């Protein structure tokens, strides 16, 4: 059994479409994937991906509608924000060198 990869092209496209369009039916979502994202897959594979996403609580699935789990989306957004702030603070703490001194020795290289 393969592990679930939320960064996979198909799952990423599903997440983007659900973020853009609220309350899609599974049929509408399947058609949008093919039309807007040019992603071709069998209906069986599509439903497997939706089931996996529901299992991992990324989407909320009712009888015939699929919606993005906003708790999951908010936590991913907050995590990305936190990582960006951490990256910016590291750049402030350790700025890149602006000047460097070195000697070039003929036949020896750089010292």
């Amino acid at each position: 059994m393969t592990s679930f990869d939320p960064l996979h092209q198909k799952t990423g496209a599903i997440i983007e479409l659900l973020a853009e369009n609220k309350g899609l039916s599974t049929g509408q979502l399947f058609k949008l994937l093919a039309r807007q994202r040019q992603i071709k897959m069998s209906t069986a594979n599509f439903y497997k991906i939706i089931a996996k996403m529901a299992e991992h609580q990324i989407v909320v699935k009712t009888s015939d509608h699929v919606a993005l789990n906003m708790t999951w989306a908010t936590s991913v957004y907050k995590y990305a924000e936190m990582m960006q702030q951490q990256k910016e603070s590291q750049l402030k703490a350790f700025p890149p060198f602006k000047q460097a001194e070195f000697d070039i020795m003929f036949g020896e290289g750089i010292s």
Side-chain angles (χ1 to χ4, degrees), residues 3-70:
S3 64
F4 178 72
D5 181 10
L7 300 177
H8 191 269
Q9 177 190 13
K10 293 174 184 174
T11 53
I14 291 170
I15 290 168
E16 287 174 3
L17 284 172
L18 288 173
E20 294 167 3
N21 306 289
K22 306 285 186 248
L24 290 173
S25 72
T26 50
Q28 291 170 326
L29 181 59
F30 184 75
K31 288 176 185 174
L32 280 175
L33 276 172
R35 199 172 339 130
Q36 289 184 2
R37 302 290 197 257
Q38 285 80 36
I39 294 177
K40 305 286 186 205
M41 70 176 106
S42 68
T43 53
N45 191 22
F46 171 73
Y47 283 106
K48 282 182 189 176
I49 291 171
I50 295 295
K52 269 293 197 201
M53 292 175 80
E55 180 183 324
H56 289 274
Q57 299 179 350
I58 296 170
V59 297
V60 178
K61 185 175 180 336
T62 60
S63 60
D64 66 339
H65 281 75
V66 181
L68 189 60
N69 182 349
M70 293 313 291

